Amino acid sequence: MREMITQVLTRSKVRTRAFRAGARYFHHVENGLTGVSGPGVPEDNETGVIGWGTSWRMQGYVLMGERTGDPAYAVRLAELIEGVLAARDEERGITDHRGRSGPVWSTAGKFTAATAVVEDEEGRAALEVTVCPPRSVHAVVGVVPEKDGRFGLTVTGKGRPSFAAHGLSLDPRDPRRADHLLYEAYEQRSGITARLVPLPGAGDGGGGAGASGRGARGDRGGERRRVRAGQYAVRPARVALAAQTGMITYPIAGLARLAREREDAVPASVRARLEGWLDLVRRAVGAHEEQWQPVEGGRGCYRWLRDEPVSFAGAELPTNEFLAVGRTLVQLAAVTGEEAYAERAAAMARALRDDFVVRTGVAVWPYWPRFGRVYNGWSATGSVATDGSLHRPSYGAVTVPEDVTHALIDLDFLQLYHRTPGLPLVFTDADMRAVAAAFSRHVVAREGRSWRMRHDVGGDGRPGTDREQAHVAAWLPLGGWAAQLPELVRTIQPAVPPAPFMGVDTYCGALLARWG
């Protein structure tokens, strides 16, 4: 790696000061990655490190290859790709919550809901208690017996608000049926719901969680069923998340495009593998086909499935997360010329564009899509069958503006889509100028003698953290629409990112080199 940077800085035809600084930053971070962050690839995506770490590194190598044409970057990227592809579910022989083993990288940890199975005195599953993120994996469900055969239930855990309920029953005919009472006691902060598990052959005895179904046929002997006291650990569900699939496949498709548009940057040994890799990218994206959601006005996005064990099951993904898939589709459209990829990418571009609110020439957009249910919130209906989300009976509207960290994906999609020929026109130059203006007029603020980024694009966000300052290079591709933008970025950009180094820091270094 150290030899690579020496060769790049001496052989490259583009030796601007900004490029040289960016290349050094990129290689300094790559050389400093430790643990699961690098220099290799994790064996699995259990904690999302491949999806939200390795993928950024991979895209960094694409950008360095674009800027320098040096085939060494494609060779190193190919090594990372091989490691990433070996971590797919179908290669590892593991299944997700639906029992499927696909061409994807499922995760089971902080991104998914976790469930504890409370037993009755005979050791049979009696009550499933589901805990939503954040920090769901740290939850512990405690059960204590109370009078009249009923029981109390607590949910505690590091960094989580405590939750308690009392006088619960396993009898589906009891007015204090456990899952119904937990439904009524639901709190947004703790995110606790439950499902009563019937005895074999008995049905659920009353319509499942929620108020509906009370008074229906009871479980055989349900009133005599007693809970087994104790503490129960939760088990996080395994889910292949669309956003992570997009993050991982984007640089693979980007390498295929690089080989098509700049043949000298990708050696024959790597080009020989691209057709097979591109097929895997298609399959991975296709695994999320049932999550696609058309939206009026020619827009579209990805959503979580109704039965997906995540916080917002059935709801639309945040803008940055569905655009993570959108970037892959842009690259597939460019490489294959297939109209279906172009049209779907355009639908997501329209979703982003229509969320811009432009005032005095400055664009602001939200973290959650304005047309989505999380942005608008929902109230409990009394039944999980009609609630806004399977694991959250109600949720308050979340209308916060996009933050500068997740905006890395938004901004990359924006510039990538706008610069890719052959796609339907969505973003005008006026749109690009309005987003670029958000940086200088809303994001950047003076703190003492220094310029720093705020936390979000809204214009009055809290001061950004040191780690957020290290993401400032994400705005560089918009330099063509705001003359002062590159200089502001260089003023804010730290000499090195905060420790420990992360995959996204590699990407930001590559941005400095690519657009510097």
Side-chain angles (χ1 to χ4, degrees), residues 71-86:
Y73 290 108
V75 171
R76 176 57 179 145
L77 175 56
E79 294 172 353
L80 294 176
I81 290 173
E82 292 284 10
V84 164
L85 294 180

Side-chain angles (χ1 to χ4, degrees), residues 60-71 73-74 258 262 265 514:
Y61 278 97
V62 173
L63 294 177
M64 294 300 292
E66 286 180 3
R67 180 64 190 253
T68 68
D70 191 327
Y73 290 108
L258 178 63
R262 190 167 183 177
R514 171 65 178 85

Side-chain angles (χ1 to χ4, degrees), residues 63-138:
L63 294 177
M64 294 300 292
E66 286 180 3
R67 180 64 190 253
T68 68
D70 191 327
Y73 290 108
V75 171
R76 176 57 179 145
L77 175 56
E79 294 172 353
L80 294 176
I81 290 173
E82 292 284 10
V84 164
L85 294 180
R88 287 171 295 151
D89 288 7
E90 62 184 9
E91 287 293 306
R92 297 174 57 219
I94 62 171
T95 58
D96 64 11
H97 68 285
R98 299 170 296 180
R100 301 180 185 179
S101 184
V104 289
W105 299 262
S106 61
T107 185
K110 64 181 181 179
F111 302 106
T112 62
T115 299
V117 179
V118 176
E119 299 176 345
D120 63 16
E121 289 180 325
E122 285 70 41
R124 299 169 298 197
L127 183 70
E128 295 176 351
V129 180
T130 297
V131 184
C132 285
R135 292 174 289 279
S136 55
V137 293
H138 301 303

